[in-house]
Amino acid sequence: MPVHGIKNVCVVGAGNMGHQIALCFAIAGYQVKCTDINPEVLKKAEEFADRYLPERVAKGKMSEEVARQARANLSFTLDLKEAAADADVVVEAIIEKLDAKRELFARLDEICPPHTILATNSSFIVSSKIATATRRPEKVCNMHFFNPALVMKLVEVVKGPHTAQETAQIILDLARDIGKVPVLLQKEIYGFLVNRILSAITHEALYLYDMGIASHEDIDRAVELALGHPMGPFRLMDLTGIDLSYYIAMERYRETGDPAHKPSPVIVEKFVKKEWGRKTGKGFYDYSDAK
Ligand code: CAA
């Protein structure tokens, strides 16, 4: 049941995260327009929706009616203006580059009605760095989903110093309404909660790998079988994207100047070779047979 009168949601960026975030909203009953600048990415997102919803029905996890309605709620367009012009909330899930996000938010500020909330799904960029590109900083915040967004329950909502209490409250309620469990960060901090904790584990795993102490398969096995994590750190990097691991490390290094935060040699190597994990068919593991 839509909350705070919100009906229309726009998701900008149909990649690894955006296509599933769009589906989360569509399944919950919101009208969703999903947009991307890359026609191939948009086509893949649409194909995923066309495959995913019938699969849920076939598995007995979703009624035919919910699946039919969800698909009807969801549309895809290359035209940002068309996607965002009537949005009550925009969730941005584009590349993790600050300049690109600022440019997009400035455009969204022009396109969207004054009441529209602009949220970023960035994994680590705090919204105060983006909000100043708009004339509505009080309506800008972080709404951070986890991969795969259709499965993972948590959403981090980060309230910047510019974010109105009302904006944070609406996004918290919206997250609950789509079946997620939100946590509120009252202050901005790099990496939020989860990625700070995750990066400590990943950093150590990469150190052990780069030192030649154990293979990535054995490090994953150790974390999965001894700590009960569903995926070891290497399998998880393949899921979230090695490009993302690279950008996160580079940004943290830039912010702190601490060489300890530089991307590890194997991350640099894989970033340059475009071995970015599942999305490119190869990362630490091979996915050439995957759909
Ligand atoms: N997209 C959508 N649904 C998926 C999926 C995907 N890529 N992968 C699995 N699923 C669904 C399956 O359909 C299945 O659903 P049902 O049980 O309802 O039928 C369910 O997830 C379990 O799938 P599987 O049995 O195939 O596989 P699994 O039990 O190994 O679970 C997993 C897969 C959910 C991905 C699990 O391995 C897991 O939880 N991994 C850890 C994920 C994680 O840590 N995510 C956070 C990453 S950090 C992040 O995202 C932050 C950031 O900013 C980068």
Side-chain angles (χ1 to χ4, degrees):
M1 181 60 75
V3 288
H4 297 283
I6 294 164
K7 288 197 184 99
N8 301 325
V9 175
C10 166
V11 177
V12 187
N16 221 12
M17 294 299 291
H19 76 286
Q20 295 210 3
I21 294 172
L23 264 167
C24 290
F25 283 108
I27 292 165
Y30 292 86
Q31 295 293 317
V32 185
K33 290 182 185 153
C34 182
T35 182
D36 201 287
I37 50 170
N38 184 332
E40 275 304 303
V41 171
L42 204 60
K43 186 163 164 267
K44 273 194 182 166
E46 189 157 10
E47 285 168 0
F48 178 83
D50 287 336
R51 200 170 59 239
Y52 177 79
L53 293 167
E55 269 173 20
R56 298 306 284 165
V57 175
K59 268 189 176 179
K61 303 268 174 155
M62 189 182 280
S63 73
E64 269 185 45
E65 177 50 21
V66 170
R68 192 197 56 73
Q69 192 56 56
R71 188 63 189 87
N73 289 345
L74 185 58
S75 60
F76 297 88
T77 174
L78 286 165
D79 185 344
L80 179 68
K81 225 174 183 172
E82 187 190 322
D86 64 354
D88 301 307
V89 171
V90 177
V91 179
E92 165 274 311
I94 67 165
I95 190 165
E96 291 283 20
K97 287 190 174 163
L98 180 58
D99 289 352
K101 290 189 193 285
R102 284 183 61 85
E103 199 184 314
L104 172 67
F105 272 63
R107 282 192 69 202
L108 288 168
D109 193 36
E110 295 291 330
I111 295 169
C112 296
H115 73 276
T116 309
I117 291 177
L118 307 178
T120 173
N121 176 58
S122 176
S123 296
F124 58 93
I125 300 174
V126 291
S127 76
S128 57
K129 293 195 171 182
I130 307 172
T132 47
T134 77
R135 291 159 304 172
R136 61 179 90 195
E138 73 287 354
K139 292 196 185 317
V140 179
C141 70
N142 293 84
M143 182 182 198
H144 183 213
F145 292 79
F146 293 84
N147 197 326
L150 282 158
V151 181
M152 307 314 282
K153 285 277 179 202
L154 192 77
V155 169
E156 291 174 320
V157 178
V158 189
K159 186 176 172 301
H162 54 282
T163 311
Q165 183 61 40
E166 190 195 6
T167 302
Q169 193 57 53
I170 291 172
I171 295 302
L172 287 166
D173 291 342
L174 185 61
R176 282 189 200 99
D177 195 53
I178 61 170
K180 301 297 183 194
V181 179
V183 288
L184 175 66
L185 279 75
Q186 306 274 2
K187 286 184 193 171
E188 292 187 331
I189 185 163
Y190 179 90
F192 320 133
L193 303 181
V194 174
N195 277 338
R196 289 186 77 85
I197 295 165
L198 184 59
S199 74
I201 294 171
T202 307
H203 188 268
E204 196 57 33
L206 284 164
Y207 173 77
L208 294 169
Y209 175 84
D210 283 328
M211 290 287 288
I213 305 290
S215 67
H216 66 273
E217 291 96 337
D218 274 350
I219 297 171
D220 274 352
R221 223 165 263 137
V223 172
E224 287 160 15
L225 298 182
L227 301 178
H229 292 201
M231 285 178 164
F234 294 95
R235 221 180 281 289
L236 189 54
M237 277 188 276
D238 276 1
L239 176 71
T240 55
I242 287 164
D243 52 333
L244 182 64
S245 304
Y246 176 84
Y247 291 134
I248 290 178
M250 280 307 285
E251 184 63 23
R252 189 137 200 215
Y253 171 53
R254 243 180 250 127
E255 287 245 321
T256 61
D258 181 350
H261 292 308
K262 271 189 180 172
S264 93
V266 69
I267 292 296
V268 175
E269 184 193 321
K270 290 199 173 292
F271 179 77
V272 171
K273 285 168 134 177
K274 267 210 159 193
E275 290 179 3
W276 293 354
R278 290 189 188 196
K279 64 172 93 169
T280 58
K282 190 169 168 32
F284 286 99
Y285 297 87
D286 191 276
Y287 304 91
S288 39
D289 289 340
K291 264 195 272 179

